[in-house]
Amino acid sequence: RPRVLSGIQPTAGSFHLGNYLGAVRQWVALQESHDAFYMVVDLHAITVPQEPADLRANTRLATAQLLAAGLDPERCTLFVQSHVPEHAQLAWIMNCLTGFGEASRMTQFKDKSARQGSDRASVGLFTYPILQVADILLYQANEVPVGEDQRQHIELTRDLAERFNGRFGETFTVPKPYILKETAKIFDLQDPSIKMSKSASTPKGLINLLDDPKATAKKVKSAVTDTDTVIRYDTDLKPGVSNLLTIYSTLTRTGVAELEEKYAGKGYGALKTDLAEVMVDFVTPFRERTQQYLDDPETLDSILAKGAEKARAVAGETLAQAYDRVGFLPAK
Ligand code: ATP
Ligand code: MG
């Protein structure tokens, strides 16, 4: 079975609709066909300041949401990044193989540091794409299911894997991005020119899966569209409407063309009312399942303990090989 690896940050508490449609939904599907490793990336979370108690609680909360979304610990390896020290260890080697200019070109860093003010942005934020390289290479992943915003980091991963292999001998699998076209980028409901994001969305434009379903329905109904009335998928001329069609289409597994037909001659109000209902039907059981997992922290922690053990077996082997290739003297 080919291997996949991906991760999600335990920041902001709730996952948002972009996380689910762009990434987590694919994770659930891929555990059936792939040897799948999924992690809650707490090392990435601290690239921006986190309250320790919140970080701990949000790490369990992220795990509960992943299980609620359909990850099955019998079918995939689910773990917390900081439980596997090899991530930080391999990241150091990768840091030393990356050019400063190369790292400076990462657009996610540029966006995120600009939002924080470049003086306040941490060096960790600057090097987080390189930690991500280590995350992926440790597991010899063939594919990495992520949203479009991560494409550049997968490119960097490929470059560094090839660079290491070229310099020190075949060591790492060169991974490919696994990005589904339809859901590669879910947009903010108030500003369909920016991606829905934990850190950058406007509150009204962000659909948090754990919010009160009534509030979610309200956000859908007040989504920004355009001054036209025609319901048509056209990302250039009608980005707001197209985003709603994408969400509707993927949540109900109905083709966009079919939806265009269904809403021919009807206004935006009808589309939004129906989509609000679809969304409520999706988030209501998701919230309940998440709460059930949260109510049983011992089970959560034991799932994560087993996951960490499986992950360390693979990561340890890769790291030992990388240490050897680089020329580190083995400890006796
Ligand atoms: P931040 O803005 O702090 O980076 P985030 O909203 O991007 O947070 P992450 O935990 O960084 O959330 O991302 C988890 C996964 O969700 C990644 O694979 C990312 O590509 C995907 N993702 C995030 N936002 C979207 C979106 N709007 N559309 C599609 N995929 C997304
Ligand atoms: Mg992100």
Side-chain angles (χ1 to χ4, degrees), residues 261-323:
E261 212 168 292
K262 179 174 173 187
Y263 288 99
K266 297 184 185 157
Y268 293 158
L271 174 71
K272 288 179 177 178
T273 304
D274 291 354
L275 178 57
E277 198 179 308
V278 164
M279 207 90 91
V280 169
D281 289 348
F282 173 70
V283 295
T284 305
F286 178 83
R287 286 175 97 207
E288 285 167 10
R289 283 197 300 271
T290 301
Q291 192 54 52
Q292 283 164 10
Y293 285 110
L294 274 184
D295 288 342
D296 186 0
E298 274 102 73
T299 302
L300 275 186
D301 291 352
S302 93
I303 288 171
L304 291 174
K306 284 196 197 107
E309 197 183 323
K310 284 201 276 175
R312 284 203 73 175
V314 177
E317 197 180 316
T318 309
L319 185 77
Q321 218 170 23
Y323 268 34

Short mmCIF file of all heavy atoms in Angstrom, two decimals, residues 261-323:
data_model
loop_
_atom_site.label_atom_id
_atom_site.label_comp_id
_atom_site.label_asym_id
_atom_site.label_seq_id
_atom_site.Cartn_x
_atom_site.Cartn_y
_atom_site.Cartn_z
N GLU A 261 -28.62 23.53 -12.62
CA GLU A 261 -29.92 23.22 -13.22
C GLU A 261 -31.04 23.36 -12.19
O GLU A 261 -32.08 23.96 -12.45
CB GLU A 261 -29.86 21.79 -13.75
CG GLU A 261 -30.70 21.52 -14.99
CD GLU A 261 -30.33 20.16 -15.55
OE1 GLU A 261 -29.17 20.03 -16.06
OE2 GLU A 261 -31.14 19.24 -15.45
N LYS A 262 -30.77 22.78 -11.01
CA LYS A 262 -31.76 22.82 -9.94
C LYS A 262 -32.16 24.25 -9.57
O LYS A 262 -33.32 24.51 -9.24
CB LYS A 262 -31.18 22.09 -8.70
CG LYS A 262 -32.10 22.05 -7.49
CD LYS A 262 -31.53 21.19 -6.37
CE LYS A 262 -32.39 21.32 -5.12
NZ LYS A 262 -31.81 20.63 -3.96
N TYR A 263 -31.19 25.17 -9.63
CA TYR A 263 -31.46 26.54 -9.19
C TYR A 263 -31.67 27.51 -10.36
O TYR A 263 -31.69 28.72 -10.16
CB TYR A 263 -30.35 27.03 -8.27
CG TYR A 263 -30.43 26.32 -6.93
CD1 TYR A 263 -29.62 25.23 -6.65
CD2 TYR A 263 -31.38 26.71 -5.98
CE1 TYR A 263 -29.73 24.55 -5.45
CE2 TYR A 263 -31.51 26.03 -4.79
CZ TYR A 263 -30.68 24.96 -4.53
OH TYR A 263 -30.81 24.28 -3.35
N ALA A 264 -31.83 26.97 -11.57
CA ALA A 264 -32.08 27.84 -12.72
C ALA A 264 -33.37 28.62 -12.47
O ALA A 264 -34.40 28.06 -12.08
CB ALA A 264 -32.19 27.00 -13.99
N GLY A 265 -33.30 29.93 -12.64
CA GLY A 265 -34.48 30.77 -12.45
C GLY A 265 -34.79 31.10 -11.00
O GLY A 265 -35.70 31.87 -10.71
N LYS A 266 -34.04 30.50 -10.07
CA LYS A 266 -34.24 30.83 -8.66
C LYS A 266 -33.15 31.81 -8.20
O LYS A 266 -32.09 31.90 -8.82
CB LYS A 266 -34.19 29.56 -7.80
CG LYS A 266 -35.30 28.60 -8.15
CD LYS A 266 -35.29 27.39 -7.22
CE LYS A 266 -36.33 26.37 -7.66
NZ LYS A 266 -36.01 25.03 -7.19
N GLY A 267 -33.39 32.49 -7.12
CA GLY A 267 -32.43 33.50 -6.65
C GLY A 267 -31.41 32.95 -5.68
O GLY A 267 -31.47 31.77 -5.30
N TYR A 268 -30.50 33.82 -5.27
CA TYR A 268 -29.47 33.43 -4.31
C TYR A 268 -30.07 32.99 -2.97
O TYR A 268 -29.52 32.14 -2.28
CB TYR A 268 -28.50 34.60 -4.06
CG TYR A 268 -27.66 34.97 -5.25
CD1 TYR A 268 -27.10 36.24 -5.35
CD2 TYR A 268 -27.42 34.06 -6.27
CE1 TYR A 268 -26.32 36.60 -6.44
CE2 TYR A 268 -26.65 34.41 -7.37
CZ TYR A 268 -26.09 35.69 -7.45
OH TYR A 268 -25.31 36.03 -8.52
N GLY A 269 -31.22 33.62 -2.62
CA GLY A 269 -31.86 33.29 -1.34
C GLY A 269 -32.18 31.81 -1.23
O GLY A 269 -31.93 31.18 -0.20
N ALA A 270 -32.72 31.24 -2.31
CA ALA A 270 -33.09 29.82 -2.31
C ALA A 270 -31.86 28.94 -2.12
O ALA A 270 -31.86 27.99 -1.32
CB ALA A 270 -33.81 29.47 -3.61
N LEU A 271 -30.80 29.28 -2.86
CA LEU A 271 -29.55 28.51 -2.75
C LEU A 271 -29.01 28.56 -1.32
O LEU A 271 -28.64 27.53 -0.73
CB LEU A 271 -28.51 29.09 -3.72
CG LEU A 271 -27.10 28.50 -3.63
CD1 LEU A 271 -27.06 27.08 -4.16
CD2 LEU A 271 -26.09 29.36 -4.40
N LYS A 272 -29.01 29.75 -0.75
CA LYS A 272 -28.44 29.92 0.60
C LYS A 272 -29.28 29.20 1.66
O LYS A 272 -28.73 28.58 2.58
CB LYS A 272 -28.33 31.40 0.94
CG LYS A 272 -27.22 32.11 0.18
CD LYS A 272 -27.22 33.58 0.57
CE LYS A 272 -26.10 34.35 -0.08
NZ LYS A 272 -26.17 35.78 0.30
N THR A 273 -30.60 29.29 1.53
CA THR A 273 -31.47 28.62 2.50
C THR A 273 -31.22 27.11 2.47
O THR A 273 -31.08 26.47 3.52
CB THR A 273 -32.95 28.90 2.17
OG1 THR A 273 -33.12 30.33 2.15
CG2 THR A 273 -33.88 28.30 3.21
N ASP A 274 -31.14 26.55 1.27
CA ASP A 274 -30.92 25.10 1.17
C ASP A 274 -29.52 24.72 1.67
O ASP A 274 -29.35 23.72 2.36
CB ASP A 274 -31.09 24.63 -0.29
CG ASP A 274 -32.55 24.72 -0.73
OD1 ASP A 274 -33.41 25.03 0.13
OD2 ASP A 274 -32.83 24.48 -1.93
N LEU A 275 -28.53 25.53 1.30
CA LEU A 275 -27.17 25.20 1.74
C LEU A 275 -27.05 25.31 3.27
O LEU A 275 -26.37 24.51 3.90
CB LEU A 275 -26.14 26.11 1.05
CG LEU A 275 -24.69 25.89 1.49
CD1 LEU A 275 -24.24 24.44 1.28
CD2 LEU A 275 -23.74 26.83 0.73
N ALA A 276 -27.75 26.29 3.85
CA ALA A 276 -27.73 26.42 5.31
C ALA A 276 -28.24 25.13 5.94
O ALA A 276 -27.67 24.64 6.93
CB ALA A 276 -28.57 27.62 5.74
N GLU A 277 -29.28 24.57 5.36
CA GLU A 277 -29.84 23.32 5.90
C GLU A 277 -28.85 22.16 5.74
O GLU A 277 -28.66 21.37 6.67
CB GLU A 277 -31.15 23.04 5.16
CG GLU A 277 -32.06 22.05 5.87
CD GLU A 277 -33.36 21.83 5.11
OE1 GLU A 277 -34.02 22.83 4.76
OE2 GLU A 277 -33.67 20.66 4.82
N VAL A 278 -28.23 22.09 4.58
CA VAL A 278 -27.22 21.04 4.33
C VAL A 278 -26.11 21.13 5.38
O VAL A 278 -25.67 20.13 5.96
CB VAL A 278 -26.63 21.19 2.91
CG1 VAL A 278 -25.34 20.40 2.74
CG2 VAL A 278 -27.66 20.78 1.85
N MET A 279 -25.70 22.35 5.64
CA MET A 279 -24.61 22.58 6.58
C MET A 279 -25.01 22.17 8.00
O MET A 279 -24.23 21.53 8.71
CB MET A 279 -24.24 24.06 6.55
CG MET A 279 -22.83 24.32 6.93
SD MET A 279 -21.79 24.28 5.49
CE MET A 279 -21.85 26.00 5.06
N VAL A 280 -26.21 22.58 8.40
CA VAL A 280 -26.70 22.23 9.74
C VAL A 280 -26.76 20.70 9.89
O VAL A 280 -26.36 20.14 10.91
CB VAL A 280 -28.07 22.89 10.02
CG1 VAL A 280 -28.72 22.31 11.29
CG2 VAL A 280 -27.92 24.40 10.15
N ASP A 281 -27.25 20.02 8.85
CA ASP A 281 -27.33 18.56 8.89
C ASP A 281 -25.94 17.92 8.98
O ASP A 281 -25.79 16.82 9.49
CB ASP A 281 -28.04 18.01 7.65
CG ASP A 281 -29.52 18.32 7.67
OD1 ASP A 281 -30.03 18.74 8.75
OD2 ASP A 281 -30.18 18.17 6.63
N PHE A 282 -24.95 18.62 8.47
CA PHE A 282 -23.59 18.09 8.56
C PHE A 282 -22.96 18.36 9.92
O PHE A 282 -22.39 17.48 10.56
CB PHE A 282 -22.72 18.67 7.44
CG PHE A 282 -21.27 18.30 7.58
CD1 PHE A 282 -20.85 16.99 7.37
CD2 PHE A 282 -20.33 19.25 7.96
CE1 PHE A 282 -19.53 16.64 7.54
CE2 PHE A 282 -19.00 18.90 8.12
CZ PHE A 282 -18.60 17.60 7.91
N VAL A 283 -23.05 19.60 10.39
CA VAL A 283 -22.32 19.94 11.63
C VAL A 283 -22.98 19.39 12.89
O VAL A 283 -22.27 19.09 13.87
CB VAL A 283 -22.08 21.47 11.80
CG1 VAL A 283 -21.17 21.98 10.71
CG2 VAL A 283 -23.37 22.25 11.89
N THR A 284 -24.29 19.21 12.89
CA THR A 284 -24.96 18.76 14.11
C THR A 284 -24.44 17.40 14.60
O THR A 284 -23.96 17.31 15.74
CB THR A 284 -26.50 18.78 13.94
OG1 THR A 284 -26.88 20.09 13.52
CG2 THR A 284 -27.22 18.42 15.23
N PRO A 285 -24.45 16.36 13.78
CA PRO A 285 -23.87 15.10 14.26
C PRO A 285 -22.36 15.17 14.48
O PRO A 285 -21.82 14.48 15.36
CB PRO A 285 -24.22 14.09 13.16
CG PRO A 285 -24.54 14.89 11.96
CD PRO A 285 -25.04 16.22 12.44
N PHE A 286 -21.68 16.00 13.71
CA PHE A 286 -20.22 16.15 13.89
C PHE A 286 -19.91 16.68 15.29
O PHE A 286 -19.02 16.18 15.98
CB PHE A 286 -19.64 17.08 12.82
CG PHE A 286 -18.16 17.31 12.97
CD1 PHE A 286 -17.25 16.40 12.46
CD2 PHE A 286 -17.68 18.44 13.64
CE1 PHE A 286 -15.87 16.60 12.62
CE2 PHE A 286 -16.32 18.65 13.81
CZ PHE A 286 -15.41 17.73 13.30
N ARG A 287 -20.67 17.69 15.72
CA ARG A 287 -20.47 18.25 17.07
C ARG A 287 -20.75 17.20 18.14
O ARG A 287 -20.03 17.09 19.12
CB ARG A 287 -21.44 19.40 17.31
CG ARG A 287 -21.11 20.67 16.62
CD ARG A 287 -22.25 21.64 16.89
NE ARG A 287 -21.96 22.54 18.00
CZ ARG A 287 -22.88 23.09 18.77
NH1 ARG A 287 -24.15 22.81 18.61
NH2 ARG A 287 -22.53 23.93 19.72
N GLU A 288 -21.82 16.44 17.95
CA GLU A 288 -22.18 15.43 18.95
C GLU A 288 -21.09 14.37 19.07
O GLU A 288 -20.70 14.00 20.18
CB GLU A 288 -23.51 14.75 18.56
CG GLU A 288 -24.72 15.64 18.82
CD GLU A 288 -25.99 15.11 18.15
OE1 GLU A 288 -25.99 13.96 17.64
OE2 GLU A 288 -26.97 15.88 18.11
N ARG A 289 -20.61 13.90 17.92
CA ARG A 289 -19.57 12.87 17.96
C ARG A 289 -18.29 13.41 18.60
O ARG A 289 -17.64 12.73 19.40
CB ARG A 289 -19.27 12.35 16.54
CG ARG A 289 -20.31 11.39 16.01
CD ARG A 289 -19.78 10.61 14.81
NE ARG A 289 -19.38 11.47 13.70
CZ ARG A 289 -20.21 11.88 12.74
NH1 ARG A 289 -21.47 11.48 12.74
NH2 ARG A 289 -19.77 12.66 11.77
N THR A 290 -17.93 14.64 18.27
CA THR A 290 -16.73 15.24 18.87
C THR A 290 -16.87 15.28 20.39
O THR A 290 -15.94 14.91 21.13
CB THR A 290 -16.51 16.67 18.33
OG1 THR A 290 -16.37 16.60 16.91
CG2 THR A 290 -15.27 17.32 18.94
N GLN A 291 -18.04 15.70 20.87
CA GLN A 291 -18.27 15.78 22.31
C GLN A 291 -18.15 14.40 22.96
O GLN A 291 -17.56 14.26 24.03
CB GLN A 291 -19.65 16.41 22.60
CG GLN A 291 -19.85 16.79 24.05
CD GLN A 291 -18.73 17.70 24.60
OE1 GLN A 291 -18.41 18.73 24.00
NE2 GLN A 291 -18.13 17.32 25.71
N GLN A 292 -18.68 13.38 22.28
CA GLN A 292 -18.58 12.02 22.85
C GLN A 292 -17.12 11.60 23.04
O GLN A 292 -16.77 11.03 24.07
CB GLN A 292 -19.28 11.00 21.95
CG GLN A 292 -20.80 11.04 22.09
CD GLN A 292 -21.51 10.33 20.93
OE1 GLN A 292 -20.87 9.64 20.12
NE2 GLN A 292 -22.82 10.50 20.86
N TYR A 293 -16.29 11.90 22.05
CA TYR A 293 -14.87 11.55 22.20
C TYR A 293 -14.21 12.37 23.30
O TYR A 293 -13.39 11.87 24.06
CB TYR A 293 -14.12 11.74 20.87
CG TYR A 293 -14.42 10.67 19.86
CD1 TYR A 293 -15.16 10.94 18.71
CD2 TYR A 293 -13.96 9.36 20.06
CE1 TYR A 293 -15.44 9.94 17.78
CE2 TYR A 293 -14.24 8.37 19.14
CZ TYR A 293 -14.98 8.67 18.00
OH TYR A 293 -15.25 7.68 17.10
N LEU A 294 -14.58 13.64 23.39
CA LEU A 294 -13.98 14.51 24.41
C LEU A 294 -14.35 14.06 25.81
O LEU A 294 -13.57 14.23 26.76
CB LEU A 294 -14.50 15.94 24.24
CG LEU A 294 -13.76 16.84 23.27
CD1 LEU A 294 -14.39 18.24 23.35
CD2 LEU A 294 -12.28 16.92 23.59
N ASP A 295 -15.55 13.49 25.95
CA ASP A 295 -16.01 13.05 27.26
C ASP A 295 -15.21 11.86 27.78
O ASP A 295 -15.37 11.47 28.93
CB ASP A 295 -17.50 12.67 27.19
CG ASP A 295 -18.39 13.89 27.06
OD1 ASP A 295 -17.90 15.00 27.36
OD2 ASP A 295 -19.55 13.75 26.62
N ASP A 296 -14.41 11.27 26.93
CA ASP A 296 -13.65 10.08 27.33
C ASP A 296 -12.15 10.29 27.04
O ASP A 296 -11.58 9.65 26.14
CB ASP A 296 -14.21 8.88 26.54
CG ASP A 296 -13.59 7.57 26.99
OD1 ASP A 296 -12.73 7.58 27.90
OD2 ASP A 296 -13.96 6.54 26.40
N PRO A 297 -11.52 11.18 27.81
CA PRO A 297 -10.11 11.51 27.52
C PRO A 297 -9.15 10.33 27.65
O PRO A 297 -8.14 10.29 26.96
CB PRO A 297 -9.78 12.62 28.53
CG PRO A 297 -10.86 12.60 29.54
CD PRO A 297 -12.06 11.99 28.91
N GLU A 298 -9.51 9.34 28.50
CA GLU A 298 -8.59 8.19 28.63
C GLU A 298 -8.50 7.43 27.31
O GLU A 298 -7.41 7.02 26.89
CB GLU A 298 -9.06 7.20 29.71
CG GLU A 298 -8.60 7.56 31.11
CD GLU A 298 -9.70 8.19 31.92
OE1 GLU A 298 -10.62 7.46 32.32
OE2 GLU A 298 -9.66 9.43 32.13
N THR A 299 -9.65 7.24 26.68
CA THR A 299 -9.65 6.55 25.38
C THR A 299 -8.86 7.36 24.35
O THR A 299 -8.03 6.80 23.61
CB THR A 299 -11.10 6.30 24.89
OG1 THR A 299 -11.77 5.53 25.88
CG2 THR A 299 -11.12 5.57 23.56
N LEU A 300 -9.10 8.67 24.33
CA LEU A 300 -8.36 9.53 23.39
C LEU A 300 -6.86 9.37 23.60
O LEU A 300 -6.10 9.15 22.65
CB LEU A 300 -8.69 11.00 23.64
CG LEU A 300 -9.91 11.62 22.98
CD1 LEU A 300 -9.92 13.12 23.27
CD2 LEU A 300 -9.88 11.38 21.48
N ASP A 301 -6.44 9.47 24.85
CA ASP A 301 -5.01 9.40 25.13
C ASP A 301 -4.42 8.04 24.79
O ASP A 301 -3.27 7.93 24.36
CB ASP A 301 -4.73 9.75 26.61
CG ASP A 301 -5.00 11.24 26.88
OD1 ASP A 301 -5.25 11.99 25.92
OD2 ASP A 301 -4.97 11.64 28.07
N SER A 302 -5.23 6.99 24.96
CA SER A 302 -4.66 5.68 24.65
C SER A 302 -4.59 5.46 23.12
O SER A 302 -3.65 4.84 22.63
CB SER A 302 -5.40 4.56 25.38
OG SER A 302 -6.43 4.03 24.60
N ILE A 303 -5.52 6.05 22.39
CA ILE A 303 -5.42 6.02 20.91
C ILE A 303 -4.13 6.73 20.48
O ILE A 303 -3.36 6.23 19.65
CB ILE A 303 -6.66 6.71 20.27
CG1 ILE A 303 -7.90 5.83 20.43
CG2 ILE A 303 -6.40 7.03 18.79
CD1 ILE A 303 -9.21 6.51 20.03
N LEU A 304 -3.87 7.88 21.11
CA LEU A 304 -2.68 8.66 20.74
C LEU A 304 -1.39 7.96 21.16
O LEU A 304 -0.38 8.06 20.46
CB LEU A 304 -2.75 10.06 21.36
CG LEU A 304 -3.83 10.97 20.76
CD1 LEU A 304 -3.93 12.28 21.54
CD2 LEU A 304 -3.58 11.23 19.27
N ALA A 305 -1.44 7.23 22.27
CA ALA A 305 -0.25 6.51 22.72
C ALA A 305 0.10 5.40 21.72
O ALA A 305 1.26 5.22 21.34
CB ALA A 305 -0.47 5.94 24.12
N LYS A 306 -0.93 4.67 21.29
CA LYS A 306 -0.69 3.61 20.30
C LYS A 306 -0.20 4.21 18.99
O LYS A 306 0.68 3.65 18.33
CB LYS A 306 -1.98 2.82 20.05
CG LYS A 306 -2.30 1.85 21.17
CD LYS A 306 -3.35 0.82 20.72
CE LYS A 306 -3.96 0.14 21.93
NZ LYS A 306 -5.34 0.57 22.21
N GLY A 307 -0.79 5.33 18.61
CA GLY A 307 -0.39 5.99 17.37
C GLY A 307 1.06 6.42 17.42
O GLY A 307 1.82 6.20 16.47
N ALA A 308 1.46 7.01 18.54
CA ALA A 308 2.84 7.48 18.68
C ALA A 308 3.83 6.32 18.59
O ALA A 308 4.90 6.43 17.99
CB ALA A 308 3.01 8.23 20.01
N GLU A 309 3.43 5.19 19.17
CA GLU A 309 4.31 4.03 19.13
C GLU A 309 4.51 3.55 17.69
O GLU A 309 5.65 3.28 17.25
CB GLU A 309 3.68 2.92 19.99
CG GLU A 309 4.63 1.82 20.37
CD GLU A 309 3.91 0.73 21.15
OE1 GLU A 309 3.00 1.06 21.97
OE2 GLU A 309 4.23 -0.45 20.93
N LYS A 310 3.41 3.48 16.94
CA LYS A 310 3.52 3.06 15.53
C LYS A 310 4.32 4.07 14.72
O LYS A 310 5.13 3.71 13.86
CB LYS A 310 2.12 2.88 14.92
CG LYS A 310 1.40 1.61 15.36
CD LYS A 310 0.30 1.23 14.36
CE LYS A 310 -1.00 1.98 14.64
NZ LYS A 310 -2.05 1.75 13.64
N ALA A 311 4.07 5.35 14.98
CA ALA A 311 4.77 6.40 14.22
C ALA A 311 6.27 6.36 14.53
O ALA A 311 7.10 6.48 13.62
CB ALA A 311 4.18 7.77 14.57
N ARG A 312 6.62 6.18 15.81
CA ARG A 312 8.04 6.20 16.18
C ARG A 312 8.80 5.05 15.56
O ARG A 312 10.00 5.18 15.25
CB ARG A 312 8.20 6.16 17.71
CG ARG A 312 7.90 7.49 18.36
CD ARG A 312 8.57 7.62 19.70
NE ARG A 312 10.03 7.84 19.55
CZ ARG A 312 10.83 8.09 20.58
NH1 ARG A 312 10.34 8.13 21.81
NH2 ARG A 312 12.12 8.26 20.38
N ALA A 313 8.13 3.93 15.37
CA ALA A 313 8.81 2.79 14.75
C ALA A 313 9.29 3.17 13.35
O ALA A 313 10.43 2.86 12.97
CB ALA A 313 7.87 1.58 14.70
N VAL A 314 8.45 3.86 12.60
CA VAL A 314 8.82 4.25 11.24
C VAL A 314 9.80 5.42 11.27
O VAL A 314 10.84 5.41 10.60
CB VAL A 314 7.55 4.63 10.43
CG1 VAL A 314 7.94 5.10 9.03
CG2 VAL A 314 6.59 3.46 10.37
N ALA A 315 9.46 6.44 12.05
CA ALA A 315 10.28 7.67 12.08
C ALA A 315 11.69 7.37 12.60
O ALA A 315 12.68 7.91 12.09
CB ALA A 315 9.60 8.72 12.96
N GLY A 316 11.78 6.49 13.59
CA GLY A 316 13.08 6.16 14.18
C GLY A 316 14.00 5.52 13.15
O GLY A 316 15.20 5.82 13.09
N GLU A 317 13.42 4.64 12.36
CA GLU A 317 14.22 3.94 11.35
C GLU A 317 14.75 4.93 10.30
O GLU A 317 15.94 4.91 9.94
CB GLU A 317 13.34 2.88 10.67
CG GLU A 317 14.13 1.84 9.92
CD GLU A 317 13.19 0.81 9.28
OE1 GLU A 317 12.25 0.36 9.98
OE2 GLU A 317 13.40 0.48 8.11
N THR A 318 13.87 5.84 9.85
CA THR A 318 14.30 6.82 8.85
C THR A 318 15.37 7.75 9.42
O THR A 318 16.37 8.05 8.76
CB THR A 318 13.10 7.66 8.36
OG1 THR A 318 12.06 6.78 7.96
CG2 THR A 318 13.49 8.54 7.19
N LEU A 319 15.15 8.21 10.66
CA LEU A 319 16.10 9.15 11.24
C LEU A 319 17.48 8.50 11.42
O LEU A 319 18.51 9.12 11.12
CB LEU A 319 15.62 9.67 12.60
CG LEU A 319 16.54 10.74 13.19
CD1 LEU A 319 16.31 12.09 12.50
CD2 LEU A 319 16.37 10.88 14.69
N ALA A 320 17.48 7.24 11.86
CA ALA A 320 18.76 6.55 12.06
C ALA A 320 19.53 6.49 10.74
O ALA A 320 20.75 6.71 10.71
CB ALA A 320 18.50 5.14 12.61
N GLN A 321 18.80 6.23 9.67
CA GLN A 321 19.44 6.17 8.36
C GLN A 321 19.99 7.53 7.94
O GLN A 321 21.11 7.64 7.46
CB GLN A 321 18.37 5.73 7.35
CG GLN A 321 18.88 4.79 6.30
CD GLN A 321 17.73 4.22 5.50
OE1 GLN A 321 16.64 4.81 5.44
NE2 GLN A 321 17.96 3.08 4.88
N ALA A 322 19.18 8.57 8.18
CA ALA A 322 19.62 9.93 7.81
C ALA A 322 20.86 10.33 8.64
O ALA A 322 21.81 10.89 8.10
CB ALA A 322 18.49 10.93 8.02
N TYR A 323 20.86 10.03 9.93
CA TYR A 323 22.01 10.34 10.78
C TYR A 323 23.27 9.66 10.26
O TYR A 323 24.35 10.23 10.21
CB TYR A 323 21.74 9.89 12.24
CG TYR A 323 21.14 10.95 13.13
CD1 TYR A 323 20.25 11.90 12.62
CD2 TYR A 323 21.45 11.02 14.49
CE1 TYR A 323 19.69 12.87 13.45
CE2 TYR A 323 20.90 11.99 15.32
CZ TYR A 323 20.02 12.91 14.79
OH TYR A 323 19.49 13.86 15.60
#
